[in-house]
Amino acid sequence: MNDGAKLKATIVYMREFCQQLALLLRTSDALMADRTFEQAGGNYAIIETSGVIGQPTRWIPNEVFRFYWSGEHPRVLAFVAALLDDRDKRYATELHEPLLTAGAFIYQSKPGNNWEWWWARWHGKMRNRRDDGTMVQVDAASWPGEKFPFERVMTLAVPLIEVVDSTSLSQRLIEPLSAAVAEFREASGPATEVAAPPPPLPNG
Amino acid sequence: MLQAILARKLTRPEEEFEDLLTSSVFGSLQYAGDETLVLEFLGLASSADGSRPLAFLPPCVSLRFRFWPWLTHGDVGCEPDVVLTIEHADASWTTVLIEAKLKSGKGWAPEGNFGPRDQLAREAWCLASEGQHRRCVVYLTADFAVPRASLLESEAELLSFAGESAVPIAWTTWRALAGLLARRHLPAILTDLLAVLRKLHLTFYEGLPPLGDLPRRFLFNADDEGHTSWSFDVPTVVPPTFRFHDGSRSLFAFASPPTCPPWRFGS
């Protein structure tokens, strides 16, 4: 195969890669729905991409994600995200390979629309990050100088290539996440009040 | 039909493709003759309240498929996609009506028609005329999770016509069938059916595509010190066998044992 054919194969691969990422996230939606969580961000799965000539590094997504909330866990904003790259070198530790991450932000009361899309990258922001499936929890105060509306955040991650089907997605990400957020199951209002519009999408 | 889909020979609008898919899937299941698979698939169908009305059915002794039959209940008629009639080992019967969708939602009968207007409620109403044995309407879609609002809407309309004797309405997805097929040793027709479902992306997540087209061979050219040209193939199976070639001639192969000892290139 010559270099031109390899380049073409790479583009075709990227399309199929995106197709499978979409299946992964929609399977995640279904697994979370089994645990009473519904999508908090509608159909959005990507932010901060660009179609303009001056921002070519943003032509390809940096991460893909889904956010969730549940009337049975009114203090929780959960997410599942695949971190594909650290385009802007913002992570606390270098990203050596794509990771599939999941996590939850624990609020004092309902999150409403008091959250940001870029929080899908939170696992990369964790200084004590583990990429082996271990759930790590920290207080929001762990980032002095930054102010966040939640009290605690927890994340876990595994290498994306190790999640080979819906069973491993469930066992390695969704079940540990579900077990961790169960600790914070405290009723603070009826389920129907949880739904709120997501925050506005960032420009880009 | 399966081969035509796999070879991309069909260029039809979605509405027609829905029928072709239904025909391909249930036709394949019919000719494969695997009643256990069909019952397992139906058993996954879930009602809006999370119950599974077709789970734990008695063993099947015969299974009959009817495609696009016309059913009536009084002045009300409907044409579901498939009706399955199952005879069980304990002499009981189950009739399952399947309404299959791909990208469209459920339909509505025009105003002024007799009976329920909601398609699923109408079909459940007509299915009630098929006898007093076990019955269920299965709404088969490409969704990933139960379309609860849609099912509740149908149940509410059916309830207003049939009361407590209403036939249950449940949902399942094409993707669940792909999951069942992927876990079995399949005859050729069901292997092709699974390939069709994968081609149409009617699966749950099954892993990332293999990086099959990335470079697998490294070439080393001759130098001035008498070393010959040779190539090195990256192994693609586990445990790997490392093969070294000189042009078209195989120089030697190194099969790694389960625990690979330290090794190096010698002079």
Side-chain angles (χ1 to χ4, degrees):
Chain A
M1 187 185 287
N2 64 31
D3 285 351
K6 282 181 199 167
L7 184 57
K8 168 73 162 42
T10 302
I11 301 297
V12 170
Y13 180 87
M14 283 304 296
R15 284 195 212 292
E16 182 58 23
F17 178 69
C18 291
Q19 188 76 48
Q20 291 301 325
L21 282 180
L23 273 181
L24 187 158
L25 292 180
R26 297 194 72 175
T27 303
S28 167
D29 289 352
L31 293 169
M32 291 296 281
D34 288 344
R35 292 158 177 80
T36 74
F37 280 86
E38 57 186 90
Q39 295 95 331
N43 287 327
Y44 286 103
I46 293 172
I47 55 164
E48 296 174 7
T49 52
S50 172
V52 303
I53 191 66
Q55 293 191 311
T57 60
R58 291 178 179 246
W59 291 356
I60 296 175
N62 200 47
E63 65 278 317
V64 297
F65 57 79
R66 304 291 277 160
F67 282 93
Y68 306 99
W69 48 33
S70 163
E72 291 194 13
H73 304 275
R75 297 173 54 202
V76 174
L77 175 72
F79 68 91
V80 170
L83 308 184
L84 306 178
D85 189 15
D86 182 16
R87 180 177 55 202
D88 302 314
K89 304 297 176 206
R90 286 188 280 209
Y91 293 167
T93 311
E94 186 177 352
L95 184 75
H96 294 290
E97 62 179 313
L99 299 175
L100 188 62
T101 75
F105 302 94
I106 312 301
Y107 288 69
Q108 190 146 29
S109 57
K110 296 167 196 160
N113 62 2
N114 206 7
W115 54 279
E116 302 283 344
W117 297 92
W118 67 264
W119 292 0
R121 293 193 287 266
W122 206 278
H123 184 75
K125 191 177 171 68
M126 296 284 247
R127 288 190 202 92
N128 51 350
R129 176 183 117 200
R130 300 275 298 270
D131 299 340
D132 59 0
T134 305
M135 181 70 83
V136 175
Q137 293 191 37
V138 292
D139 287 332
S142 299
W143 288 273
E146 296 183 78
K147 201 164 174 60
F148 300 111
F150 54 85
E151 292 183 330
R152 277 181 90 64
V153 56
M154 59 178 85
T155 69
L156 81 164
V158 294
L160 179 59
I161 60 167
E162 291 183 11
V163 181
V164 296
D165 55 19
S166 55
T167 303
S168 58
L169 171 63
S170 177
Q171 290 175 347
R172 301 204 60 191
L173 270 292
I174 305 299
E175 287 172 18
L177 174 64
S178 179
V181 299
E183 291 178 31
F184 299 94
R185 183 171 174 170
E186 295 172 26
S188 67
T192 49
E193 289 183 20
V194 171
L201 283 167
N203 295 325
Chain B
M1 189 62 73
L2 297 176
Q3 301 304 327
I5 298 172
L6 288 171
R8 293 182 187 273
K9 289 292 182 186
L10 301 177
T11 53
R12 305 214 178 195
E14 290 295 341
E15 296 78 22
E16 292 178 54
F17 191 78
E18 198 169 84
D19 288 341
L20 291 176
L21 179 67
T22 301
S23 167
S24 298
V25 169
F26 287 95
S28 300
L29 291 174
Q30 180 181 20
Y31 295 126
D34 188 344
E35 291 96 352
T36 309
L37 170 66
V38 175
L39 260 60
E40 203 175 332
F41 178 47
L42 296 174
L44 297 174
S46 172
S47 298
D49 63 4
S51 64
R52 294 187 167 175
L54 297 174
F56 312 114
L57 289 177
C60 168
V61 292
S62 77
L63 174 59
R64 180 180 166 218
F65 290 72
R66 282 183 286 163
F67 291 88
W68 295 287
W70 182 252
L71 305 183
T72 56
H73 186 169
D75 292 331
V76 181
C78 70
E79 187 188 70
D81 293 303
V82 186
V83 171
L84 304 175
T85 307
I86 307 163
E87 182 186 2
H88 299 289
D90 63 359
S92 66
W93 293 78
T94 304
T95 304
V96 180
L97 182 157
I98 293 175
E99 182 55 47
K101 301 292 182 189
L102 185 55
K103 293 198 172 176
S104 61
K106 63 183 177 181
W108 295 84
E111 276 193 62
N113 275 29
F114 294 108
R117 291 186 58 220
D118 178 288
Q119 186 178 22
L120 299 178
R122 192 176 183 86
E123 289 175 337
W125 176 248
C126 291
L127 185 60
S129 69
E130 289 273 302
Q132 291 301 312
H133 51 277
R134 196 182 293 113
R135 292 154 299 178
C136 184
V137 167
V138 172
Y139 184 36
L140 176 59
T141 73
D143 289 306
F144 285 73
V146 184
R148 197 164 277 109
S150 190
L151 289 187
L152 288 172
E153 184 182 50
S154 300
E155 285 176 359
E157 183 165 4
L158 179 62
L159 206 61
S160 68
F161 279 85
E164 293 304 314
S165 64
V167 168
I169 301 174
W171 164 88
T172 191
T173 170
W174 302 102
R175 301 173 200 281
L177 177 60
L180 289 177
L181 292 172
R183 291 197 293 272
R184 299 168 104 90
H185 182 70
L186 300 173
I189 189 169
L190 295 184
T191 301
D192 283 351
L193 174 60
L194 178 57
V196 163
L197 293 172
R198 283 176 169 157
K199 192 170 193 72
L200 299 173
H201 298 294
L202 288 174
T203 66
F204 287 109
Y205 177 64
E206 292 189 302
L208 297 174
L211 286 160
D213 289 323
L214 295 184
R216 287 197 193 134
R217 172 168 290 194
F218 294 89
L219 298 172
F220 298 83
N221 295 323
D223 61 17
D224 296 329
E225 297 175 9
H227 294 107
T228 55
S229 300
W230 54 283
S231 62
F232 170 68
D233 287 352
V234 177
T236 56
V237 293
V238 177
T241 297
F242 298 91
R243 298 185 187 283
F244 299 84
H245 307 271
D246 177 7
S248 61
R249 191 165 59 96
S250 179
L251 291 178
F252 63 93
F254 173 81
S256 65
T259 305
C260 194
W263 60 279
R264 62 186 177 83
F265 291 108
S267 55

